[in-house]
Structure formats: C-alpha cells, structure tokens
Amino acid sequence: MLRMSFMEHLEELRSRIIKALLGLVVAFVVCISFADKLWTIISDPAVDALRHLGVNPPELVQITAQEGFMVIWFELPLLCAVFLASPWVVYQVWAFIAPGLYKRERRWALPFILATAGLFIGGGLFAYFLAFRYGLTFLLGIGMTNHVRPMVSITEYFDLFVNVTLGVGVVFEMPVVIFLLTLLRLASPRFLLRHSRYAILAIVIIAAILTPTPDAFNMMLVAVPMCLLYFVGVFLGYLVVMRREGQKFPWKPVLRVAIIVLLIAAAMVFAFQYFHLHVIRKWPFVSR
C-alpha cells in the first residue's frame, strides 16, 4: 500500500476534482452543440403525455423571456454532460481511492468504472422511459376531470425531469456502494441481509420521494428495481468476502437456476406477445 501524507492526499484530491471538472466541461461543450436535438428527446415524454390526454397542440410553454435560453442552452446540456462524463468522473474517484487498496483489490478498477457509470446511465434511462412517463401522464391528467387544462412551462417540466432522472440514477448506484463498503471492510453481506427489512423500508420511502405521483403503482415501479439492486449489491459483497477468504462460489448450480428463470421469463414474454396481453393497474393485472 502507498503511504501518503495528509497534504499529499489533499493535493491528490484537488488534482482529481480538477480533472473531473475538465471532463465535465468537455462533455458540456459537446452536448451544447446538439442542444436542439437533445431538447426534442427530453421533451418527448411531455409531448406524448399531452397528446395522450387530448391536449392540442401538445406543446410546452415559455413564460419568461430568459427561461428558453437557460433551460435549452444551459441546464439541458449540463444535465446531459453529467451522464456523458460519468465514466470519466467515476475513473477519477477510483484513481483517488485506489492507492489505499491492496494490489489484488485494484484489479476491480475496470468493472467498478463500467458498473458505476452503467448503473447511473441505466437509472436515468429507466426514469426516462418508464417512471417519468407514467408519472407525468398521471399528473397532467389528474385535473382534466375537473375542467383544468394543463399548461406546463419548460422550467417546471425540466426541474421535475432533473429531479426524477438524477434521483433514480443516483439510487441505482446501490450495488456499487454496497460493493465498496464491503471492499473497504465497512459493512458485511451478513449484516446487510440481517437488516434487509430496514433497507427495504428505506427504499420504499426513497421511492415515494422520487416518484412524482402519489399512487402505489408508480412508486413500486421504482421501489422493486431498487430492492433487486440492493440484493445484487449484497451478492457482490458476498463474492468479495469469499474471494478474500480464498473460497469459490458454486457457479454451476446458480447458473442452472438462472437459466430456468430466464426460460420462464422468455416464455412469459412469448405468451404476452402471442396472446396480445398487456399489464393493467387492477386485478388480474393482465388483459388483452
């Protein structure tokens, strides 16, 4: 292990922060070149929701003179730059903590970077395609039964979009956080499993905060993947402990079970496609 003084740690931290910010600036310059196309993509959930609710024309509105410039040409490229530069930022984080790890633990660098950036981007995509779209349609349509016509400003819409996508992207980092805590010996898989009920309660509360709607369906849409990611993180921590103790994981029986589960899932997908089924929000939750 490398020995560094306190001042050397501060200098290393300063260097890594500067490099991460420079990567973010480069990504921002790239994103601002495609601001128009990016806004078309970002505003698509609102356009689809308004069109689905019968609002014509299905458009967002600009209320103040400067909000169009601030949202489309500054805040939007900055948000996209955060996702685009996330692999570089994660690499800087790993490069800062790597000197404190053993040589065999530093071999996790590439999987750590790919998993962390991938989960963050995957969380944002999950929010964009599922959680945010369902929630937005609910919120915009809830007042139309009382003769209220939705008129959404681009600032209010984008603020909600940022809160949901960034929030879901961050909480999707749960397996990586658990992996790091186990790697640094700050937590153990046994402890996390023993207190999993408290973790699930916290996850449900976080999902309720992140979900833009009060209904249970949209909350569970976020909470269920988070619970799965929690147990994925516990499993990764279990692998770290086994490797540390010189044990081997029984991959063969686990792979057999995984193949059976995948076959069942494939059969369900085929049944949905063949019989033209879709999921609904009330019992029996499946309909033609």
Side-chain angles (χ1 to χ4, degrees), residues 226-269:
M226 287 174 61
C227 290
L228 293 176
L229 289 172
Y230 175 81
F231 288 106
V232 168
V234 173
F235 174 71
L236 293 176
Y238 180 65
L239 292 180
V240 171
V241 173
M242 291 190 69
R243 184 179 181 87
R244 186 181 295 157
E245 296 176 351
Q247 302 177 7
K248 292 185 178 180
F249 184 77
W251 286 107
K252 289 185 178 180
V254 172
L255 288 176
R256 291 193 191 101
V257 174
I259 290 173
I260 294 173
V261 172
L262 289 175
L263 290 175
I264 294 174
M268 292 178 63
V269 172

Side-chain angles (χ1 to χ4, degrees), residues 176-230:
V176 177
V177 174
I178 295 174
F179 170 80
L180 276 180
L181 291 176
T182 307
L183 190 65
L184 298 174
R185 303 173 189 269
L186 298 176
S188 67
R190 183 176 299 178
F191 173 84
L192 295 173
L193 280 177
R194 188 185 308 126
H195 298 85
S196 59
R197 58 184 181 275
Y198 303 112
I200 294 174
L201 176 61
I203 286 171
V204 172
I205 295 173
I206 294 172
I209 295 172
L210 291 177
T211 307
T213 62
D215 64 301
F217 177 83
N218 285 296
M219 184 188 70
M220 295 306 295
L221 195 64
V222 177
V224 171
M226 287 174 61
C227 290
L228 293 176
L229 289 172
Y230 175 81

Side-chain angles (χ1 to χ4, degrees), residues 1-16 94-101 106:
M1 297 179 66
L2 298 179
R3 299 292 182 181
M4 300 175 65
S5 66
F6 178 73
M7 294 304 298
E8 287 175 332
H9 276 295
L10 289 181
E11 182 63 28
E12 177 70 11
L13 178 61
R14 173 179 173 273
S15 173
R16 295 300 173 185
W94 178 267
F96 176 71
I97 67 175
L101 302 175
R106 289 199 292 269

Side-chain angles (χ1 to χ4, degrees), residues 81-127:
V82 170
F83 284 95
L84 183 63
S86 58
W88 173 252
V89 175
V90 171
Y91 168 74
Q92 298 304 321
V93 174
W94 178 267
F96 176 71
I97 67 175
L101 302 175
Y102 291 102
K103 183 178 180 180
R104 63 178 181 273
E105 293 174 334
R106 289 199 292 269
R107 296 174 182 174
W108 293 96
L110 183 59
F112 171 80
I113 294 170
L114 294 178
T116 305
L119 285 171
F120 181 65
I121 296 172
L125 293 175
F126 175 83

